[in-house]
Amino acid sequence: MANVKLGAQLYTIREFTKTPEDIERSLRKIKGMGFDVIQISGFGPIDPQRLADLVHELELDVCVTHTPYDRLTGDLDAVIAEHKLLGCDTIGLGAMPAKFREGGVTMEGYREFIKVADEIGTKIHDAGLHFAYHNHNFEFQKLEGKTVMDRLVEDTAPEKFGFILDTFWLQMGGVIPASYIRKVAGRMKVCHFKDYAVNDRTAVFAEVGEGNLDLHEAFRACEESGVSYIVIEEDVCPRDPFDCLANSFKNLKDIAANH
């Protein structure tokens, strides 16, 4: 099996992480399913020390988070301290906030976001941690001849702005996931694997290995590009999300075993 570690993006089970009791129950269930790596995202309120104690007790490796933008701009010192408690060195942003892209991304909104992101990334870098940005498909809108995503790659400093690419949203953006993973080589610690299926003429989320994406090639690209973790995510599950994670985990381990 490859050196890339496999884990679960817990946004998938966000309906089961609304209270501290829910979070504890769900973390124990995830660990019991065989996961040692998690991404924290979509959790309800919980005391940071209680969460850290749970993570350490269960020997879970928190590879990255998705942290609300408002906390990154208004409470960053506490966010950094919480990540150090968790033993997590990467603070992720799930998307460019809506206020920068109302009616579609403009150059003005893009430049404003880049300025704020640089300030956030600088402070996180100075604290010895890393900032990473997660894409959707709107970043593949073109601005003056280049996609927003290409501009993010070109206009940001690697030490202050990393990436958490998402295979489904790359496909939705009109690029080949493996090719774009290689484009950000050296700037991505965690990659999101979710599969892409078609229902009639509509794209839908699918469990890893059950859709149309070439995730074998995406896995190979991750290995070649210095990715340390691949985490499973399914934004919308057609059945129990824990069962979806379990099937995706089985299929992802099969993919990893071939590399």
Side-chain angles (χ1 to χ4, degrees):
M1 187 174 288
N3 292 324
V4 178
K5 297 179 181 179
L6 312 180
Q9 208 306 41
L10 299 187
Y11 182 75
T12 308
I13 59 164
R14 60 195 177 278
E15 296 303 317
F16 300 87
T17 57
K18 292 181 179 293
T19 69
E21 294 74 25
D22 288 343
I23 291 168
E24 178 170 355
R25 190 179 306 112
S26 293
L27 288 180
R28 293 191 185 281
K29 187 168 184 176
I30 287 290
K31 181 69 176 183
M33 293 166 62
F35 286 104
D36 295 318
V37 172
I38 59 170
Q39 174 177 341
I40 291 176
S41 178
F43 278 18
I46 184 171
D47 177 73
Q49 187 63 59
R50 179 174 179 180
L51 179 57
D53 289 345
L54 266 172
V55 162
H56 298 318
E57 176 198 338
L58 295 172
E59 298 183 328
L60 289 167
D61 179 357
V62 182
C63 60
V64 68
T65 67
H66 276 176
T67 299
Y69 175 76
D70 289 348
R71 291 208 69 204
L72 296 180
T73 55
D75 198 22
L76 189 52
D77 287 339
V79 169
I80 289 168
E82 289 163 17
H83 280 69
K84 290 183 176 181
L85 263 183
L86 290 168
C88 175
D89 69 357
T90 305
I91 301 171
L93 176 64
M96 184 186 299
K99 71 176 185 176
F100 297 113
R101 51 186 173 89
E102 291 176 2
V105 185
T106 63
M107 283 302 298
E108 180 183 7
Y110 169 76
R111 291 191 180 109
E112 186 181 352
F113 172 71
I114 285 291
K115 179 177 181 295
V116 177
D118 182 71
E119 293 168 357
I120 293 168
T122 297
K123 189 163 186 177
I124 291 172
H125 178 262
D126 289 348
L129 304 180
H130 309 284
F131 172 70
Y133 178 85
H134 171 268
N135 73 284
H136 290 82
N137 60 336
F138 68 82
E139 293 91 350
F140 293 91
Q141 169 194 333
K142 283 195 172 181
L143 281 182
E144 298 181 6
K146 289 184 181 180
T147 67
V148 173
M149 196 69 190
D150 285 350
R151 290 184 180 279
L152 287 172
V153 174
E154 296 170 11
D155 296 345
T156 57
E159 69 275 11
K160 296 191 289 186
F161 196 105
F163 293 93
I164 308 166
L165 295 186
D166 183 300
T167 56
F168 178 94
W169 292 115
L170 290 173
Q171 181 72 26
M172 280 285 285
V175 299
I176 298 169
S179 297
Y180 218 88
I181 289 167
R182 291 185 172 100
K183 185 179 179 72
V184 301
R187 296 183 67 173
M188 181 163 65
K189 173 187 168 187
V190 181
C191 185
H192 283 184
F193 267 35
K194 67 175 67 137
D195 219 329
Y196 176 105
V198 177
N199 184 353
D200 192 10
R201 291 184 294 174
T202 302
V204 296
F205 300 106
E207 293 162 28
V208 169
E210 306 292 342
N212 299 333
L213 293 184
D214 186 352
L215 293 178
H216 284 274
E217 186 60 25
F219 192 98
R220 186 176 296 111
C222 285
E223 290 183 299
E224 294 170 359
S225 302
V227 171
S228 299
Y229 299 88
I230 291 171
V231 296
I232 298 158
E233 182 180 34
E234 193 168 349
D235 297 33
V236 180
C237 297
R239 58 191 180 121
D240 183 277
F242 290 97
D243 291 341
C244 290
L245 277 177
N247 188 49
S248 288
F249 195 29
K250 172 187 173 295
N251 292 342
L252 183 54
K253 286 189 286 189
D254 288 344
I255 292 171
N258 289 315
H259 290 267

